[in-house]
Amino acid sequence: MFEARLVSSSTFKKILDAVKDLLNEASFDCSESGIQLQAMDNSHVSLVSLMLRSDGFDKYRCDRSLTMGMNLANMAKIFKCANNDDTVTIKAQDDADTVTFMFEAKKQEKISDYEMKLMNLDQEHLGIPETDFSCVIRMPSPEFARICRDLSQFGESIVISCTKEGVKFSTGGDIGTANVKIAQTNNFDKEEESVTIEMQEPVTLTFACQYLNSFTKATPLAPQVQLSMSDNVPLVVEYQIPDLGHLRFYLAPKIEDDEN
Amino acid sequence: MFEARLVSSSTFKKILDAVKDLLNEASFDCSESGIQLQAMDNSHVSLVSLMLRSDGFDKYRCDRSLTMGMNLANMAKIFKCANNDDTVTIKAQDDADTVTFMFEAKKQEKISDYEMKLMNLDQEHLGIPETDFSCVIRMPSPEFARICRDLSQFGESIVISCTKEGVKFSTGGDIGTANVKIAQTNNFDKEEESVTIEMQEPVTLTFACQYLNSFTKATPLAPQVQLSMSDNVPLVVEYQIPDLGHLRFYLAPKIEDDEN
Amino acid sequence: MFEARLVSSSTFKKILDAVKDLLNEASFDCSESGIQLQAMDNSHVSLVSLMLRSDGFDKYRCDRSLTMGMNLANMAKIFKCANNDDTVTIKAQDDADTVTFMFEAKKQEKISDYEMKLMNLDQEHLGIPETDFSCVIRMPSPEFARICRDLSQFGESIVISCTKEGVKFSTGGDIGTANVKIAQTNNFDKEEESVTIEMQEPVTLTFACQYLNSFTKATPLAPQVQLSMSDNVPLVVEYQIPDLGHLRFYLAPKIEDDEN
C-alpha cells in the first residue's frame, strides 16, 4: 500500500508543468524516504532529477518500495482537473497496475478520483557524482527565465561567464549580438531578489538555449534558481521546492567543436 | 412595428455566445408576450429553447406577431460592437426584410446602428411536453461547466447518477477512469453556491460530452444551472435569465447500444 | 558619435509596435534637431512620418548627421528584451555599420546591450506640403480604434463624414450596413475623453479599413488622435508623443471609381 497526501495540489501541478515537455513518461520511485524521479529528457541530452522527501508530505505511507511508470502528459491532464487548493492524495496497491489520484475540495462537498493506468518503463539508474563546483550562482528565478528567453531570440547558444563581480550571459547571430550583465547584489534585504556568487575560479561555458528555456518552466516552483558550473562538468540548474525537496536539471556544456 | 429595448447589451451578448456554436441560424418569434426561439442544433441532436418575456424589457412594443430569421454568427458580430453598458434597441418594420440593432452609449455621445438582412428559414414548431422529472438538480453553473470540461478529457460520454445524497459524474477511456462526486449542501447561506436535489427516484443516465460542453457556454447567464432527468426522457439543462426569461437545452440520453 | 537616452523604454516599444507591421525596414535620420523617419508602407499606399525632437530626450548628442537603416522587426525583438522602466540608450559611431541599444535596470544591477547590424536602404525624401484642412477632428484614440475595428467586420471601406455637429463613420457589405455617430462633446472636464471638431466646410471621404486599422496600433502612444481631412488630399492621422514629438500616418481617400 502506497499513499501520499498534500494539502495543496499546486506543487504537483507546477512540477508537471516543469517536466512534461522534457519527459513523455517517467518512473516514480517510491520508498520510505520519499518519491524520486530521474530520467534523461526525450532527446537524451539533459537529465531531470526530482526528489520529494516523505517528511514533506502531510501524510505518507509506503509499505513496500515500488516504481510507478507514468505518462506525464496524462498525469498533467488529471492534475488540471484539480483546483490549486484541493487536497491531493496519491494511492496505489502493492503490485497494482493503476494509480489513483484523489482531489478533495476544501469544504469536502466535491471529491474527484482519477484512476490512471501505469506503464512498464525501462529503468535507467544514473549515478550522479557529487561535485565541488567552481562557481555557484543564486539569482531570482524569473530573471534567469527572462534572460534565457530574451537571448534565445538572437542565437542558439548562450555563453555564461561567471566572475566574482557578476555573471554575463551572451549570444549572437544574424541579427547581431546580445550581452546581459548581472551584478552581485550588496543589500540582502530581499533575499528572493538577491544575486549571490560563490566562486572558486572564473568559468565560461556555452549551453544550448533550447534546454535552458525548457528548464525555466520550473520557475513558478521557487523564487530563486541556483546555477552550479565547472569546466567539463554538466551545469546544474536547481529549484528548491519549499519544505518538500528539489527539482534539478543537468546539461553538459557545448564544446568548442560544437560551435563551428 | 416591433421594438424592444434593454438598458444593457450584456444579456444579449451572453445569449449569443451561448447558442451561436450550436445554431448557425434561428427564427426569433416575436409576439405581445415576448421573444421566443426554438431550434434543433446544427447536427439535429439537441434542442435549444429561449424565452424572453416582454415584461422583462425596458421598452417593448409588438404591433403584429412576426418571425425574424437571423444568422447568429452575424448577429454575434454586431453585438461584439456594443459595450456591455450600452442600451440596445431592436427594431423592425412589419413585413420588413431587415432588422436594426441600435446601441447607445450611457452618455449619449455615441450612437451606433447596424442593419442586418433577415433570412427565410423553415419553421420547425416542436411541441415540448411538460414532464415530472425523477430528479431535479440545482448546482453552481461554473461547477457544472468545470466537471463537463474536466471529464471530457477522459471519455466521450458522461454518466450522471443522482441519488438523495448527491450526484456522481463518471467517464472512462484510454487514460483511465474519472469520477466526480458532488454532495447536497446543508448550509443555505450562499444560495448561488448551494447544491440541491429534488428526487422522486434515483436515475442513472449517459450523455455525450460534446453537447454538455456546448450547453455550458451559457454559464455566464446564471449563477445556478438546473438539470432535470428521468429515464427515457431528454435531460433538460436550464439557465434562468434574471427578470427576463430562460435558456433551456434538451438532450436525449445515450442508450446502452450506443455505447457498444 | 551619436547618443540618445530616454529614462523609459516604453515610448520606443510603443512606436515600434505602431509601425512594425506597416514597415519592414526604415531609415532613421538623426541630426542635431532630433530623429526623423519617413517611409511609405510595405505596399506603398500610406505614408508613415515620425519626429522625435532632440530636446525631448534625457540626453542627446549628434556630432554629425547620420542615417541608420534598420530592420524594424529585429529592432522590436530587441526592445521586447527591455523592461518598460529600463533606461534606454541608443549609440552609434560615425560611419558605423552597427547600432547599439543599451538597457539599464533602475537599480543598475542589470545592464544589457544589443548590437544590431545596420542596412543600406534607398532613401525616399518625400515633401509633405503643409495644408489647411476643411475638418480637424480630435477624439479619444481608443474610441477611434474601436470604431475602425468594429466597422471593418462589415465592409472593406469606411466613409467618414464630418459636420459641425459630429462625425459619422459608415460601412456596408454582405451582412448589412453599419453607422457610428460621435457627437462633439460640450463638457471639457476630461480633455482626454472629449471630441472636438474644427470645421471650415463639411467633408465626406472614403478610406480603406485595412490601413486605418494599422494606424490604430499607435493608440497606446496617446490618449487622443487627430484626424485632418480635406477633399482630394490625404487624411492625416496624428498621435502626439508627449514631450517628444509625433507619429503621423497619411492615407489618400478612395475615389468613386475605386469602389465600383
Side-chain angles (χ1 to χ4, degrees):
Chain A
M1 175 73 184
F2 171 77
E3 189 174 340
R5 173 182 296 196
L6 271 180
V7 291
S8 152
S9 76
S10 69
T11 301
F12 266 104
K13 283 168 172 268
K14 289 173 187 168
I15 291 170
L16 288 166
D17 284 343
V19 302
K20 73 174 203 283
D21 291 342
L22 283 168
L23 306 174
N24 290 338
E25 57 254 334
S27 287
F28 289 77
D29 296 314
C30 306
S31 69
E32 233 177 279
S33 62
I35 302 175
Q36 199 157 10
L37 176 159
Q38 255 189 32
M40 298 297 290
D41 75 83
N42 298 329
S43 50
H44 281 257
V45 172
S46 65
L47 175 73
V48 179
S49 172
L50 171 72
M51 175 67 209
L52 304 174
R53 293 186 314 274
S54 55
D55 57 29
F57 286 87
D58 297 295
K59 183 178 171 183
Y60 192 91
R61 174 184 164 187
C62 184
D63 300 342
R64 273 172 47 186
S65 293
L66 80 168
T67 293
M68 296 190 286
M70 302 201 202
N71 177 303
L72 295 185
N74 290 345
M75 198 177 162
K77 268 190 189 177
I78 288 172
F79 272 88
K80 279 217 189 312
C81 302
N83 285 316
N84 278 336
D85 58 356
D86 282 358
T87 294
V88 54
T89 307
I90 305 174
K91 283 188 289 194
Q93 300 300 323
D94 296 338
D95 304 314
D97 60 351
T98 63
V99 59
T100 298
F101 302 98
M102 187 172 74
F103 306 129
E104 292 166 274
K106 275 286 165 292
K107 297 183 204 149
Q108 295 281 333
E109 79 286 359
K110 180 182 174 187
I111 299 178
S112 312
D113 56 85
Y114 295 83
E115 190 174 292
M116 186 176 79
K117 290 163 192 160
L118 293 175
M119 311 171 76
N120 281 316
L121 299 176
D122 287 343
Q123 287 288 82
E124 21 177 10
H125 276 296
L126 305 150
I128 302 170
E130 287 289 322
T131 320
D132 284 335
F133 288 96
S134 302
C135 295
V136 176
I137 304 157
R138 285 187 203 84
M139 62 185 290
S141 61
E143 188 65 84
F144 178 62
R146 176 73 191 265
I147 291 170
C148 292
R149 193 189 67 195
D150 283 351
L151 295 197
S152 61
Q153 293 190 87
F154 304 99
E156 294 184 357
S157 302
I158 293 180
V159 181
I160 306 181
S161 300
C162 183
T163 63
K164 215 176 273 184
E165 287 71 36
V167 193
K168 187 172 80 168
F169 301 85
S170 310
T171 191
D174 292 341
I175 297 175
T177 62
N179 296 290
V180 179
K181 278 167 268 177
I182 300 284
Q184 179 152 214
T185 47
N186 296 313
N187 75 318
F188 292 93
D189 290 355
K190 298 186 183 174
E191 205 181 327
E192 300 195 347
E193 295 177 13
S194 69
V195 176
T196 56
I197 298 169
E198 289 168 25
M199 196 201 76
Q200 310 304 322
E201 49 180 333
V203 176
T204 295
L205 293 170
T206 305
F207 301 99
C209 284
Q210 176 194 350
Y211 293 98
L212 296 181
N213 269 324
S214 287
F215 302 163
T216 62
K217 298 241 167 90
T219 301
L221 274 174
Q224 286 254 318
V225 62
Q226 177 175 300
L227 312 177
S228 305
M229 301 198 298
S230 284
D231 277 336
N232 305 316
V233 163
L235 162 75
V236 186
V237 178
E238 176 173 338
Y239 296 86
Q240 289 285 338
I241 305 169
D243 302 324
L244 191 59
H246 62 249
L247 177 58
R248 289 188 190 138
F249 302 96
Y250 295 80
L251 178 65
K254 286 189 166 187
I255 54 172
E256 292 289 314
D257 290 20
D258 285 5
E259 297 176 66
N260 299 336
Chain B
M1 175 73 183
F2 170 77
E3 188 173 341
R5 172 182 296 197
L6 271 180
V7 290
S8 152
S9 76
S10 69
T11 301
F12 266 104
K13 283 168 171 270
K14 290 174 187 168
I15 291 171
L16 288 167
D17 284 343
V19 303
K20 74 174 203 282
D21 291 343
L22 282 168
L23 306 175
N24 290 338
E25 57 254 333
S27 287
F28 289 77
D29 296 314
C30 306
S31 68
E32 232 177 280
S33 62
I35 302 176
Q36 200 157 9
L37 176 159
Q38 256 190 31
M40 297 297 289
D41 75 83
N42 299 329
S43 49
H44 281 257
V45 172
S46 65
L47 175 73
V48 179
S49 172
L50 171 72
M51 175 66 209
L52 304 175
R53 293 188 312 275
S54 55
D55 57 29
F57 286 86
D58 296 295
K59 183 177 171 184
Y60 192 91
R61 173 182 165 189
C62 185
D63 300 341
R64 273 173 48 187
S65 293
L66 79 168
T67 293
M68 297 190 285
M70 304 202 201
N71 177 304
L72 295 185
N74 290 346
M75 197 178 163
K77 268 189 189 177
I78 288 173
F79 272 87
K80 278 216 189 313
C81 301
N83 285 316
N84 278 336
D85 57 356
D86 282 358
T87 293
V88 53
T89 307
I90 305 174
K91 283 188 288 195
Q93 300 300 324
D94 296 338
D95 305 314
D97 60 352
T98 63
V99 59
T100 298
F101 302 98
M102 186 172 73
F103 306 129
E104 292 166 274
K106 275 285 166 291
K107 298 182 203 149
Q108 296 280 333
E109 79 285 1
K110 180 182 173 187
I111 298 178
S112 313
D113 56 85
Y114 295 84
E115 190 174 293
M116 187 175 79
K117 289 163 194 160
L118 293 175
M119 310 171 76
N120 281 317
L121 299 176
D122 286 344
Q123 287 288 83
E124 20 178 10
H125 276 297
L126 306 151
I128 301 170
E130 287 288 322
T131 320
D132 283 334
F133 288 96
S134 303
C135 295
V136 176
I137 304 158
R138 286 187 203 83
M139 61 185 290
S141 60
E143 188 66 84
F144 178 62
R146 176 73 191 266
I147 291 170
C148 292
R149 193 189 66 196
D150 283 351
L151 295 197
S152 61
Q153 292 190 89
F154 303 99
E156 294 185 356
S157 301
I158 292 180
V159 180
I160 307 181
S161 300
C162 183
T163 63
K164 214 176 275 185
E165 287 71 35
V167 193
K168 187 172 80 168
F169 301 85
S170 310
T171 191
D174 292 341
I175 296 175
T177 61
N179 296 290
V180 179
K181 277 167 267 178
I182 300 283
Q184 179 151 215
T185 47
N186 296 314
N187 75 319
F188 292 93
D189 290 356
K190 298 186 184 174
E191 204 181 328
E192 300 195 348
E193 295 177 13
S194 69
V195 176
T196 56
I197 297 168
E198 289 169 25
M199 196 200 78
Q200 310 304 323
E201 50 180 333
V203 177
T204 295
L205 292 170
T206 305
F207 301 99
C209 283
Q210 177 193 349
Y211 293 97
L212 296 181
N213 270 323
S214 287
F215 302 163
T216 62
K217 298 242 167 90
T219 301
L221 273 174
Q224 286 253 319
V225 62
Q226 177 175 300
L227 311 177
S228 306
M229 301 197 297
S230 285
D231 277 335
N232 305 316
V233 163
L235 163 75
V236 186
V237 179
E238 175 172 338
Y239 296 86
Q240 290 285 338
I241 305 169
D243 302 323
L244 191 58
H246 61 249
L247 178 58
R248 289 187 190 139
F249 302 96
Y250 295 80
L251 178 65
K254 285 189 167 189
I255 53 172
E256 292 288 314
D257 290 19
D258 285 4
E259 297 177 66
N260 301 334
Chain C
M1 175 74 183
F2 171 77
E3 189 174 341
R5 173 182 296 196
L6 271 180
V7 291
S8 152
S9 76
S10 69
T11 301
F12 267 104
K13 283 168 171 268
K14 290 174 188 168
I15 291 170
L16 288 166
D17 284 343
V19 302
K20 73 174 203 282
D21 291 342
L22 282 168
L23 305 174
N24 289 339
E25 56 254 332
S27 288
F28 290 77
D29 296 314
C30 306
S31 68
E32 234 176 279
S33 61
I35 302 176
Q36 200 157 9
L37 177 159
Q38 254 189 32
M40 298 297 289
D41 75 83
N42 298 328
S43 50
H44 282 256
V45 172
S46 66
L47 175 74
V48 179
S49 172
L50 171 72
M51 175 67 208
L52 304 175
R53 293 186 313 273
S54 55
D55 57 29
F57 286 86
D58 297 294
K59 183 178 171 183
Y60 192 91
R61 174 184 163 187
C62 185
D63 300 342
R64 273 172 47 186
S65 293
L66 80 168
T67 293
M68 297 190 285
M70 303 201 202
N71 176 304
L72 295 186
N74 290 345
M75 197 177 163
K77 268 189 188 177
I78 288 172
F79 272 87
K80 279 216 188 314
C81 301
N83 285 316
N84 278 336
D85 57 356
D86 282 358
T87 294
V88 53
T89 308
I90 305 174
K91 282 188 290 195
Q93 300 300 324
D94 296 338
D95 304 315
D97 60 352
T98 64
V99 60
T100 297
F101 302 98
M102 187 172 72
F103 305 129
E104 292 166 274
K106 275 286 166 290
K107 298 181 204 150
Q108 295 281 333
E109 79 285 359
K110 180 181 174 186
I111 299 178
S112 312
D113 56 85
Y114 295 84
E115 191 175 293
M116 187 176 80
K117 290 163 193 159
L118 293 175
M119 310 171 77
N120 281 316
L121 299 176
D122 287 343
Q123 287 288 83
E124 20 177 10
H125 276 296
L126 306 150
I128 301 169
E130 287 288 322
T131 321
D132 284 334
F133 289 96
S134 303
C135 295
V136 176
I137 304 157
R138 286 187 203 83
M139 61 185 290
S141 60
E143 188 65 83
F144 178 62
R146 175 74 191 265
I147 291 169
C148 292
R149 193 189 67 197
D150 283 351
L151 295 197
S152 61
Q153 293 190 89
F154 303 99
E156 294 185 356
S157 302
I158 293 180
V159 180
I160 307 181
S161 300
C162 183
T163 63
K164 214 176 275 185
E165 287 72 35
V167 193
K168 188 173 80 168
F169 301 85
S170 311
T171 191
D174 292 341
I175 297 175
T177 61
N179 296 290
V180 179
K181 277 167 267 177
I182 300 284
Q184 179 151 215
T185 48
N186 296 314
N187 75 319
F188 292 93
D189 290 356
K190 298 186 183 174
E191 205 181 328
E192 299 195 348
E193 295 177 13
S194 69
V195 176
T196 56
I197 297 168
E198 289 169 24
M199 197 200 76
Q200 310 304 323
E201 50 180 333
V203 177
T204 295
L205 293 170
T206 305
F207 301 99
C209 283
Q210 177 193 349
Y211 292 98
L212 296 181
N213 269 323
S214 288
F215 302 163
T216 62
K217 298 242 167 91
T219 301
L221 273 173
Q224 286 254 319
V225 62
Q226 177 175 300
L227 312 177
S228 305
M229 302 198 297
S230 285
D231 277 335
N232 305 316
V233 163
L235 163 75
V236 186
V237 178
E238 175 172 338
Y239 296 86
Q240 289 286 337
I241 305 169
D243 302 323
L244 191 59
H246 61 249
L247 178 58
R248 289 188 190 139
F249 302 96
Y250 296 80
L251 178 65
K254 285 189 166 189
I255 53 172
E256 291 290 314
D257 290 19
D258 284 4
E259 297 177 66
N260 300 337

